Structures are given as structure tokens and as C-alpha cells.
DNA sequence: CGACCAGTTGAGCTTGTTCAAGGCATGTGG
DNA sequence: CCACATGCCTTGAACAAGCTCAACTGGTCG
């Protein structure tokens, strides 16, 4: 499957109700790409907005397509690694900025960003599940970011006022990865 | 490459010196498995003990081997997802227990565990980099676990006193994944 | 012996949590 | 049109988990 529009998330839910979002799935992302015969459900996918998707082309047809899938899953793994360092070693403020920058960069690659601005359908609770924080603390951290003039965020729209400067300030490492262009064109 | 003996870790280092361990590499694990043409360094690998490894057999030879590699990287991804929920939603004590259980289960599959006991070459500092805690807090948490009678840990050897019970107590989810046997035999 | 490395301990502090309440917008049924 | 529910955001105050800094212990190895 390939997502044409809308946002989804890979999520895991603990028995006592705690939830953790592994990664976000944005337009252009592949979902359920499973190159072996023993599928095991290790996380579930939930949609965060109305979603449009279609079946991905069969992989065996062309070598180029296989490459594309392989690269796609490498990028996905890079996102997981980013998420791990976010959760393990960044402060609340850094986690949120870093996540925002990642989402912004990913959407930019699909032409879905405009001067630091993107559509942003996430609630603070979802943000909390992604960053390993509580909803209350996400709220307070967002307020701080607004006060510092780093972002503008109101219903449905996020603006990162100086993406380059922020990325610089954070010493954001993995930017290079996102410059890999997927040779897949959305229809 | 495939690891024959010894431990290694996938690690990322931030500019200001903070470090985060993504995952541990144990005997039987593949390393640098990269099925596409555009390798990008997104984490580095460091050895934690003296290491023995050899070249993995070329993948194109057999369909079964391709399967094996695919399954191996699926398991690796499952480990990353485990790490994400550990860092995002578990407390210090839970993070350490959960990690210990994962290591124990993985070593068990290679026949490297014995009645809840495994060799354990990690320093508390490495443990801190893996769990997103400080070395000092890891120390205190380990003491608590010892006091509660959950583990025995002294130089080079970890014993989990009741692995089943602990796993139960933690509502450990992803156990099923580790029951996938890699059809690779170590030489 | 001295240096070094890993582990241990204490005291004070910061970050983020918990619990609980209230605000504001939207939608819905009477 | 009003009453009421619901979802999301906001706020406050008390609290706890984990951090920082700094010092000390004990083992190992040259």
C-alpha cells in the first residue's frame, strides 16, 4: 500500500493503556511492506486523518522498483533511529522541535510544505504519545516554543519560523538521509 | 557480516557528547545488511567486547537465504520498536528489566543462556546509554532490582531469577517475535 | 605504588508528572 | 434557540522521578 494523502501512525499499546507512537506515515510512504513470508504483527497502524491510499505496484516487475522499496524501508529505519535518540537523549523541548523538523522535511520532499508552513492534524495528545511525554507537558512546551518565537501553531497548521536556524541550533544530524529521493511518483 | 561471538552496539552520538544506543548486536546477528545501492551512514557500530565475525554468504545464491536475511531484518526492526516503547513509555525500572528480558531471550535462542543466567559484558554506563538514563540512576535502579530479588548481577554475569514471572509482570508484548528461528547455523 | 576504571553514595535540584478543574468551540437533540 | 455533551486546549499546585555534581571505594594492571 502507498499513502496518497492523509496522516497515519504506527503505534503500540501497552496493557495498562500507555501508548507509544513509533512513527508517522505521510503521503508517499509505503505501509505493510513485508519482503518475507512470516508476517508478525509487531505494531498496529491507525489513521490520524481521513486517508487515501492505493495498492503499491508489484515488486517483482522491475529491478528499479525493488530498489525503490529497499530505499524506502531504509528511510523508514532511519526514522525509527531518529525516534530512538529523540526519546532517549533529548529534552521535551528538543523532542518536539526535532519531530517538527522531521515532519517538515518529509512533507517538503513531497511538495507539501510552504515557507516553513505545513498542515498539521495532530492533537497534543497524539504529540504526547509520539514524544513520550504527557499531554499537559506537551501543552506547556508548545507554549514555551511559541513564546520564544520558534513556531506558530494553531488549528490545523504549523509554521516553523526559521527551519534552517532551528535545525542548526539542534545540531540535527540525519538531515542527509531525507535528501534521498524516492523514484516513485504519486498518481 | 555475521557475528559469531561477542557483543556490539549500534550507536549514535550527538554533537554535545550525549550518546544513544539503538540496539545491541549479539552472536548470530547480521551487521551492515544493506539491500540497496545508496548506503548512508545513519548510525555507527562499536564493539563492546572482543568480537568474532565472518562474511555472510552472498544473498543471490538461494531464495531461502534471501528469506533468512529478510526475516533477520524484520526481527531487527522489531527490536527497534521495542526500544522505542522502552524509551518512550516505561519507567527506569521497567526499561532495565525489559532490556534484560530481551537480551536473555535473544541469547536463549542461540543456546547462550542457562537457567536464567547469561554472560553480561555491559558496564552501567553502556546500560545508561541504552536506556536513556544516567549512569548514576542505572546504578540505583539495579540496586533496587537486586533488593527485590529480581536479578543477580555481578561482574560479567546476569541472572534473571524468574524470567517467566518477570515477563508476565511486565505484560511483555513482543515475545512472539523472538520465536522466529533464523535458518542460519553458526559455524 | 600510582593510575585508572567501574561501581557506589549523598544532597540538592530540575524536569516532567499527576490530579483536578475550567475554558472554548463545535455539534446535537428538544 | 437553548441546554447539554464532547473534544481539545489551558491552568494551577503538589509531587515524584530522574539528574547533577562531587566525592569516595575497591579492584586491576603496569
Amino acid at each position: 500500500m502507498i499513502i496518497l494523502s492523509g496522516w497515519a501512525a504506527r503505534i503500540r499499546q501497552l496493557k495498562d493503556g500507555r501508548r507509544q507512537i513509533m512513527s508517522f506515515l505521510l503521503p508517499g510512504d509505503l505501509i505493510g511492506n513485508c519482503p518475507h513470508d512470516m508476517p508478525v504483527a509487531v505494531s498496529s497502524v491507525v489513521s490520524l486523518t481521513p486517508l487515501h491510499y492505493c495498492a503499491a505496484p508489484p515488486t517483482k516487475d522491475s529491478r528499479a522498483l525493488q530498489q525503490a522499496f529497499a530505499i524506502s524501508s531504509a528511510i523508514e529505519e532511519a526514522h525509527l533511529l531518529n525516534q530512538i535518540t529523540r526519546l532517549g537523549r533529548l529534552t521535551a523541548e528538543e523532542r518536539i522541535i526535532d519531530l517538527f523538523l522531521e515532519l517538515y522535511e518529509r512533507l517538503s520532499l513531497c511538495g507539501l510544505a510552504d515557507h516553513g508552513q505545513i498542515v498539521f492534524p495532530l492533537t497534543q495528545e497524539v504529540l504526547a504519545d509520539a514524544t513520550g511525554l504527557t499531554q499537559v507537558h506537551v501543552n506547556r512546551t508548545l507554549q514555551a516554543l511559541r513564546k520564544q518565537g520558534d513556531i506558530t501553531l494553531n488549528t490545523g497548521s504549523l509554521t516553523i519560523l526559521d527551519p534552517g536556524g532551528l535545525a542548526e541550533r539542534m545540531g540535527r544530524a540525519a538531515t542527509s538521509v531525507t535528501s534521498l529521493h524516492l523514484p516513485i511518483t504519486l498518481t
Side-chain angles (χ1 to χ4, degrees), chain A:
Chain A
M1 305 261 86
I2 181 167
I3 297 185
L4 300 179
S5 77
W7 291 36
R10 298 182 69 184
I11 211 171
R12 187 181 288 178
Q13 177 124 0
L14 306 190
K15 289 197 178 140
D16 58 2
R18 286 179 285 185
R19 304 199 313 164
Q20 177 63 46
I21 289 180
M22 306 294 155
S23 63
F24 290 104
L25 302 170
L26 306 183
D29 285 346
L30 296 172
I31 172 179
N33 178 15
C34 189
H36 58 86
D37 297 344
M38 306 171 80
V40 177
V42 64
S43 70
S44 40
V45 172
V46 301
S47 71
L48 301 172
T49 70
L51 215 54
H52 285 176
Y53 54 89
C54 68
T59 163
K60 55 182 82 167
D61 282 6
S62 89
R63 170 119 180 83
L65 259 186
Q66 281 183 14
Q67 276 284 315
F69 283 133
I71 291 179
S72 155
S73 74
I75 290 180
E76 202 183 306
E77 175 171 322
H79 292 153
L80 295 183
L81 298 183
N82 287 344
Q83 174 76 333
I84 288 177
T85 64
R86 245 197 304 274
L87 295 172
R89 284 301 181 218
L90 300 193
T91 65
E93 201 165 290
E94 290 172 323
R95 289 185 206 187
I96 289 184
I97 292 183
D98 188 75
L99 177 59
F100 283 0
L101 286 173
E102 176 183 314
L103 293 171
Y104 173 66
E105 287 170 5
R106 289 171 65 184
L107 289 175
S108 292
L109 288 181
C110 315
L112 293 176
D114 178 36
H115 295 91
Q117 183 169 185
I118 57 178
V119 276
F120 194 79
L122 304 183
T123 67
Q124 295 183 353
E125 190 173 355
V126 169
L127 227 31
D129 285 334
T131 52
L133 303 167
T134 56
Q135 182 266 327
V136 172
H137 198 60
V138 165
N139 181 299
R140 293 183 169 131
T141 308
L142 288 176
Q143 289 180 51
L145 291 178
R146 280 190 272 243
K147 209 160 294 172
Q148 294 166 211
D150 290 326
I151 62 168
T152 306
L153 175 57
N154 28 38
T155 27
S157 161
L158 166 69
T159 308
I160 302 177
L161 295 177
D162 177 13
L166 262 192
E168 181 69 23
R169 198 172 101 199
M170 298 251 339
R172 205 171 139 69
T175 315
S176 58
V177 172
T178 59
S179 67
L180 281 179
H181 252 301
L182 252 194
I184 290 183
T185 324
L186 300 185
T187 53

